[in-house]
Amino acid sequence: MAEPAIATQAAAPAVALLKDELDIVIPTIRNLDFLEMWRPFFQPYHLIIVQDGDPSKTIKVPEGFDYELYNRNDINRILGPKASCISFKDSACRCFGYMVSKKKYIFTIDDDCFVAKDPSGKAINALEQHIKNLLSPSTPFFFNTLYDPFREGADFVRGYPFSLREGVPTAASHGLWLNIPDYDAPTQLVKPLERNTRYVDAVLTIPKGTLFPMCGMNLAFNRELIGPAMYFGLMGDGQPIGRYDDMWAGWCTKVICDHLGLGVKTGLPYIFHSKASNPFVNLRKEYKGIYWQEEIIPFFQQAVLPKDCTTVQKCYIELAKQVKEKLSKVDPYFDKLADAMVTWIEAWDELNPTGPVPNGKAA
């Protein structure tokens, strides 16, 4: 059975890679006691805490951490009318932290995620592995059967085209979980006792043209390369759907990465997901999404972005247009979501008024 690393096991000082270039974004409704376990790995970094729910509640953060905390009142003050694009009473509010960050990289984690152990019993520095994934190229145009060729002890196998071995910039690193898997409500209900104890020592580039279910609880990305696409949609209070925030961001991000010639990796690092959410509550949030995804996913599989979409913002506005045109017939919610996508980009550009950065290379 998988168990989390205890605080003393995680106490070895960590080398703080990209200390001045990375923010850790945490959405929460509770005191952040879980940070004590992560202290050896997180303390050198700046935290952006996005408080969900009642803004009058005081969130306690352990001493010694450098952080800024935003509640709903802050979001409304900073964004004004555009605050309508940020979800309320849902962890999708985390994307506000992506917007206000000024760093190149983002790592986001949920407050029920603890330090995991590798098979040798060593505490896993998840952030360090994400950084390694982001700083090494991806290979989306041709699959390498030894997985990530840029990891120590691996390389490109015989038959891999030399013209593609340079790879492309990595935009996102998607980590996994020991203990509680990221299951939907129906799977939770039929497998209530299932736990993930399998540690697979692998990092893979998700091939071009392949979508994936992105989970936001253990995720890192290059904000300069793909940040504006990491919008977690309209979820939670006042919306007909929940628990599809990270999925939506993942589908949009992957389509845009494929178009711009950027890579997405999945696999290591693992975190220890400590508790399962209530499957009946989840089912109430998810049931429309479970039905809708059978039309949403084909939409993203068939989405084509014009060649003149050369920045993430242009790509995202074009996707919003296509969402309005093709998904509004599924439910009026998607008309509202498409408008929110445009509002998100407008708000992003207002808070981040710099020019576009170079993208990868298309194949």
Side-chain angles (χ1 to χ4, degrees):
M1 179 178 178
E3 296 179 350
I6 60 177
T8 54
Q9 291 173 318
V15 176
L17 302 173
L18 304 179
K19 182 175 72 73
D20 299 320
E21 298 181 68
L22 183 144
D23 279 334
I24 299 173
V25 175
I26 305 168
T28 193
I29 59 172
R30 59 181 61 88
N31 295 335
L32 295 182
D33 299 330
F34 91 114
L35 285 174
E36 286 295 353
M37 175 174 284
W38 288 101
R39 185 182 291 276
F41 305 135
F42 288 3
Q43 189 164 1
Y45 296 88
H46 180 68
L47 312 182
I48 298 178
I49 300 163
V50 184
Q51 178 180 344
D52 195 19
D54 183 2
S56 67
K57 180 179 178 180
T58 299
I59 300 293
K60 295 181 180 179
V61 181
E63 291 186 8
F65 285 93
D66 173 36
Y67 71 93
E68 53 192 304
L69 187 150
Y70 297 93
N71 60 32
R72 192 69 202 187
N73 293 338
D74 299 314
I75 294 171
N76 292 338
R77 172 178 53 81
I78 292 168
L79 296 185
K82 292 183 174 65
S84 61
C85 72
I86 304 297
S87 298
F88 184 56
K89 294 185 178 179
D90 193 280
S91 64
C93 67
R94 78 175 78 222
C95 63
F96 176 77
Y98 310 161
M99 182 186 287
V100 297
S101 171
K102 301 304 177 187
K103 303 291 179 62
K104 183 176 181 178
Y105 300 98
I106 295 288
F107 170 55
T108 185
I109 187 172
D110 285 3
D111 59 17
D112 62 352
C113 295
F114 299 163
V115 178
K117 293 186 292 186
D118 67 17
S120 73
K122 181 182 177 182
I124 298 169
N125 184 348
L127 180 52
E128 180 181 57
Q129 180 63 51
H130 274 302
I131 291 171
K132 290 179 179 179
N133 292 348
L134 290 171
L135 293 183
S136 61
S138 292
T139 53
F141 306 131
F142 201 88
F143 188 78
N144 190 52
T145 51
L146 270 184
Y147 310 125
D148 189 344
F150 298 99
R151 288 191 70 198
E152 185 176 351
D155 210 325
F156 293 99
V157 297
R158 181 171 56 90
Y160 199 99
F162 282 87
S163 60
L164 295 177
R165 294 190 181 195
E166 181 183 348
V168 301
T170 300
S173 171
H174 178 256
L176 300 175
W177 346 266
L178 294 173
N179 196 40
I180 305 295
D182 187 30
Y183 285 162
D184 54 37
T187 308
Q188 282 184 289
L189 288 168
V190 298
K191 294 183 173 181
L193 301 180
E194 184 156 296
R195 300 293 182 266
N196 180 36
T197 59
R198 295 177 64 243
Y199 179 97
V200 180
D201 186 11
V203 178
L204 294 78
T205 294
I206 301 172
K208 181 179 181 181
T210 299
L211 297 175
F212 74 111
M214 188 176 82
C215 173
M217 76 172 82
N218 176 21
L219 175 71
F221 59 92
N222 184 321
R223 186 176 172 277
E224 291 183 359
L225 285 182
I226 203 62
M230 284 288 182
Y231 175 48
F232 276 44
L234 289 176
M235 303 283 152
D237 192 50
Q239 309 302 334
I241 185 175
R243 285 174 56 83
Y244 272 84
D245 52 333
D246 42 9
M247 299 294 147
W248 184 262
W251 296 328
C252 292
T253 292
K254 188 57 167 62
V255 168
I256 293 173
C257 281
D258 286 351
H259 175 74
L260 295 177
L262 301 170
V264 177
K265 294 182 180 182
T266 188
L268 299 180
Y270 283 91
I271 51 85
F272 184 92
H273 188 204
S274 65
K275 64 179 182 179
S277 48
N278 186 308
F280 296 101
V281 173
N282 289 348
L283 185 61
R284 188 165 65 246
K285 295 178 180 179
E286 290 176 0
Y287 79 94
K288 286 191 176 182
I290 292 170
Y291 174 71
W292 289 343
Q293 72 183 15
E294 301 306 318
E295 296 194 56
I296 297 172
I297 292 172
F299 161 77
F300 281 108
Q301 289 173 326
Q302 297 160 18
V304 176
L305 300 174
K307 288 186 177 179
D308 61 355
C309 289
T310 55
T311 66
V312 177
Q313 284 93 329
K314 288 181 179 179
C315 290
Y316 204 75
I317 293 295
E318 173 62 26
L319 264 184
K321 176 184 173 184
Q322 295 184 25
V323 167
K324 185 177 282 285
E325 290 175 353
K326 299 179 181 180
L327 290 181
S328 291
K329 62 181 174 59
V330 176
D331 191 272
Y333 164 76
F334 290 98
D335 191 68
K336 184 179 180 181
L337 176 57
D339 290 339
M341 292 168 70
V342 174
T343 301
W344 161 263
I345 292 297
E346 291 173 349
W348 182 284
D349 286 345
E350 285 182 9
L351 293 183
N352 301 277
T354 57
V357 298
N359 294 306
K361 57 180 183 181

